[in-house]
Amino acid sequence: MHHQSLLKRTGLTLLSVLVAVSAHAEPNENIQQTITRTASQGQLLQAKLVKNAYRQEPYQDTYTVQVPYDVTETYYVDVPYQDQEAYTDYEDYYSNDYICRDYTEYEQRCRTVRECDNAPNVGIERAAVDDVIGRPRDPGADPGPAPYPGNGGGGPIRPDPRPPICRDRQVCESVPVTRQRCGYEQVRHQRAVTKYRTVTKYRSEARTRTVTRYRNEERCCVTRYHDVFDHQWGLDVQVQFPQGTELNSAEVEKFKIELIGSEAAPDIRMTPVSTVFGYKVANKTVERGLVTITLEQVARYKDEDLREKSLQNFTAVPTPAGLMYKFIDNAIYPRVASRHQLEVQDAITHEVVTQSEMRPHLQSQVNGDLAVNWDYTRNYEVVLRVHREGMVLENGVVDFEIRQPLQMILDMSALKDENRILPGISGSAENARVLIADNTVPYSTVSTRYYVTLIRKTVLGKNAVIAEKGFSRTSLTAGSDGAFAIKIADFGAKSSDIKSYLKSGSKVQVVVQVDRVTSDGQKIQFWKSANVEIR
């Protein structure tokens, strides 16, 4: 048995060595490759693809079987049992405690209070003559003429003083008094006690059982098959390109070719990797180990791929000198001539204000400047026209345009500058005109309103309003000097005030409140005043 096993292992080892040597000796395959076409190779590309062929050969090999055997194993189970468990509980108990408590009582307490009557004197007496009898007099009343001797009177009268009248009285009131009452009372208390309860617990106990298990054993022998290199077969490949697809020295085309099918029915699959022209297979023949593929030229690009979606990130930004623009053209391909033209048009009439010449570009990143003399009272849009042509296009020519409204950039510092507002007055009386020169750009996206107030000084040196009114910038017409002239009659002032305060030689203060609002909601407000002498 030992010798048989040794022979078996020796034979298997030799077989493995032979298989390894055979595998090492087989030639390399070339079932796919990338072929490159340049200008120097002309209209014909050649290549060769080969594939190894294998045959099935039997060999003896061991195999593995699972053999059962019994074994005793130990396992554990949880066995319940009862146990006493201590726990803490709380119980109430009572005790006879000596306790004192405070309580309040009220007592009657009395005291003697003396009250005195300080009323004024109520009597009179005779001063010198004994026959004059004193008469009572009402306190506070007019005493009348005093009696004199000889007219029945007893001479001057003087008050008779007397002491105040006093009396005692007793006053009593209830007064709270705190007292204490003590005695024994039943008082509830709480204490912790230890108690016991029966609980179920578990202990782990070992048990044994007999189980069947399996072990792998190697047996001999079984017949198996493996691939052994037999020979190599292949195809020569020729690719014929059509006339008119000649490459220049800077152009390169790449194709991937694959050997498919079987030795009895071989075939080639050809896939473009990167090409200048578009191709399709016009004819393919397989004969005597040679595959000839004849190509036909077709459109390389579809028109829809070269239209608007091929242009990205088109931006046009107005500047004081003109227009800055940039865009990315993702359709700068070989044999595709692309030309771009930029136009600035009136957004309403589409009148062409200025345009650039149609220029070809070879780079995808395009940027530049276009000189424009802006009229800020108009709205503009920019038009990018694109023209593409080439034999690789589906229809030979592609034309399209992209329109974009222009958002004029506001000079916010100028719009807030009060020094650009010049108020004044020309003429006098009914011929007076209020002048407002606004030296800012009249942006169509900014609404401006002027609130004009004419002020005079009174004889007391105080300000008095002659006339005031608001005007929108669009409602006014600028003169040849660029200033807005507003007739004094348009203010609705009194004729008498105009004649009195706007006569030649008068001095008037012109105050202009400027309110501007941009299209995106930004608000600007400031004031400009000027002292003017009417001439």
Side-chain angles (χ1 to χ4, degrees):
M1 182 68 181
H2 176 70
H3 291 87
Q4 290 179 353
S5 177
L6 180 61
L7 289 173
K8 176 186 67 177
R9 292 176 182 174
T10 301
L12 293 175
T13 302
L14 290 174
L15 179 60
S16 300
V17 171
L18 291 174
V19 170
V21 171
S22 175
H24 180 72
E26 67 185 45
N28 293 328
E29 289 184 319
N30 180 23
I31 60 175
Q32 70 175 30
Q33 72 178 86
T34 299
I35 56 176
T36 302
R37 180 191 177 208
T38 62
S40 62
Q41 293 170 311
Q43 304 303 99
L44 182 65
L45 275 183
Q46 295 181 333
K48 184 177 181 62
L49 298 177
V50 293
K51 186 176 183 179
N52 293 338
Y54 298 88
R55 66 177 183 274
Q56 291 276 309
E57 289 190 353
Y59 70 97
Q60 296 299 306
D61 194 9
T62 60
Y63 63 96
T64 302
V65 296
Q66 289 189 324
V67 179
Y69 65 97
D70 293 335
V71 64
T72 300
E73 68 175 11
T74 301
Y75 66 98
Y76 293 87
V77 295
D78 290 332
V79 179
Y81 67 95
Q82 304 296 317
D83 195 9
Q84 293 294 310
E85 179 182 72
Y87 68 96
T88 299
D89 198 2
Y90 295 90
E91 65 179 12
D92 295 336
Y93 69 95
Y94 293 85
S95 63
N96 201 24
D97 297 344
Y98 188 78
I99 297 175
C100 292
R101 302 184 188 277
D102 293 337
Y103 67 95
T104 302
E105 289 185 346
Y106 291 87
E107 293 181 349
Q108 286 286 337
R109 292 184 182 180
C110 299
R111 67 182 186 278
T112 300
V113 179
R114 170 161 286 193
E115 296 178 344
C116 295
D117 184 7
N118 294 321
N121 296 312
V122 295
I124 59 173
E125 70 175 352
R126 187 175 57 201
V129 183
D130 293 338
D131 60 352
V132 177
I133 301 174
R135 65 176 183 269
R137 183 169 295 184
D138 185 15
D142 185 8
Y148 290 95
N151 65 354
I157 298 175
R158 67 173 183 263
D160 184 16
R162 64 175 177 79
I165 300 173
C166 299
R167 58 180 177 273
D168 295 335
R169 92 180 159 84
Q170 194 175 39
V171 177
C172 296
E173 59 185 355
S174 295
V175 179
V177 178
T178 300
R179 303 186 187 282
Q180 194 175 67
R181 181 184 293 116
C182 299
Y184 287 93
E185 295 181 7
Q186 287 287 320
V187 180
R188 188 178 72 172
H189 302 278
Q190 194 177 64
R191 61 191 171 194
V193 296
T194 301
K195 295 184 178 181
Y196 294 88
R197 59 190 171 200
T198 301
V199 296
T200 300
K201 295 184 178 180
Y202 295 86
R203 58 174 171 262
S204 185
E205 293 185 359
R207 301 282 192 271
T208 59
R209 61 189 172 194
T210 300
V211 296
T212 300
R213 294 183 179 175
Y214 296 86
R215 59 174 172 262
N216 291 331
E217 291 187 359
E218 198 174 70
R219 302 289 174 86
C220 186
C221 285
V222 65
T223 300
R224 302 185 187 278
Y225 292 87
H226 65 97
D227 290 332
V228 177
F229 174 74
D230 186 71
H231 64 280
Q232 195 174 60
W233 64 277
L235 286 176
D236 292 320
V237 180
Q238 287 187 351
V239 181
Q240 183 66 50
F241 292 86
Q243 295 298 319
T245 62
E246 292 80 2
L247 302 181
N248 60 41
S249 59
E251 294 173 334
V252 175
E253 290 183 327
K254 293 183 179 181
F255 303 85
K256 184 174 76 171
I257 55 174
E258 299 176 81
L259 181 60
I260 59 175
S262 62
E263 185 176 4
D267 198 1
I268 293 293
R269 179 166 50 227
M270 182 175 177
T271 307
V273 176
S274 61
T275 64
V276 175
F277 299 93
Y279 302 99
K280 73 174 184 179
V281 176
N283 186 38
K284 181 169 62 174
T285 61
V286 182
E287 184 178 0
R288 297 178 183 178
L290 174 63
V291 176
T292 302
I293 300 174
T294 303
L295 299 180
E296 177 184 343
Q297 183 188 355
V298 295
R300 175 67 175 85
Y301 306 103
K302 294 183 178 179
D303 289 354
E304 61 183 22
D305 296 332
L306 301 183
R307 296 185 65 81
E308 288 85 348
K309 66 180 182 180
S310 64
L311 270 167
Q312 294 181 344
N313 302 332
F314 174 43
T315 57
V317 179
T319 65
L323 187 73
M324 291 192 308
Y325 63 90
K326 63 179 180 179
F327 57 88
I328 298 175
D329 190 344
N330 292 319
I332 304 300
Y333 299 130
R335 304 302 176 102
V336 178
S338 295
R339 298 166 67 86
H340 309 95
Q341 183 183 53
L342 208 68
E343 289 183 358
V344 176
Q345 297 182 0
D346 185 288
I348 299 175
T349 64
H350 300 297
E351 174 192 354
V352 177
V353 177
T354 187
Q355 65 182 14
S356 67
E357 62 183 37
M358 185 69 76
R359 290 177 290 181
H361 290 95
L362 300 179
Q363 303 294 327
S364 60
Q365 188 81 30
V366 181
N367 56 72
D369 298 284
L370 184 62
V372 184
N373 186 18
W374 299 113
D375 178 357
Y376 290 97
T377 62
R378 303 167 68 181
N379 293 322
Y380 296 95
E381 66 178 355
V382 61
V383 181
L384 175 61
R385 302 186 188 280
V386 181
H387 173 81
R388 307 189 196 279
E389 61 183 26
M391 60 184 300
V392 294
L393 302 184
E394 188 174 18
N395 293 304
V397 176
V398 172
D399 287 292
F400 65 93
E401 65 180 35
I402 297 176
R403 291 181 175 268
Q404 188 178 99
L406 284 179
Q407 182 66 40
M408 307 303 291
I409 297 178
L410 305 180
D411 186 351
M412 297 301 291
S413 61
L415 293 175
K416 298 177 182 178
D417 188 0
E418 65 178 36
N419 294 323
R420 293 177 179 261
I421 303 296
L422 302 176
I425 296 179
S426 68
S428 62
E430 293 87 351
N431 297 322
R433 283 177 167 77
V434 176
L435 304 178
I436 303 175
D438 189 346
N439 297 320
T440 58
V441 174
Y443 298 111
S444 60
T445 56
V446 178
S447 62
T448 301
R449 186 173 182 83
Y450 313 103
Y451 195 84
V452 185
T453 306
L454 305 181
I455 300 174
R456 66 177 178 87
K457 288 289 185 182
T458 66
V459 294
L460 298 177
K462 295 184 178 180
N463 291 333
V465 175
I466 302 172
E468 57 183 348
K469 193 172 182 181
F471 304 89
S472 64
R473 185 171 186 171
T474 54
S475 68
L476 302 175
T477 303
S480 58
D481 57 353
F484 303 117
I486 308 171
K487 296 179 180 179
I488 193 64
D490 294 340
F491 282 82
K494 295 180 180 179
S495 176
S496 58
D497 290 344
I498 294 174
K499 293 178 180 179
S500 299
Y501 305 123
L502 296 181
K503 62 184 178 180
S504 180
S506 301
K507 293 183 178 180
V508 177
Q509 183 183 19
V510 183
V511 179
V512 180
Q513 174 185 318
V514 181
D515 295 308
R516 305 190 198 274
V517 181
T518 65
S519 59
D520 58 355
Q522 297 185 67
K523 296 181 179 181
I524 301 170
Q525 185 181 75
F526 61 88
W527 289 261
K528 183 62 181 292
S529 65
N531 294 316
V532 181
E533 183 176 351
I534 305 298
R535 299 183 182 277

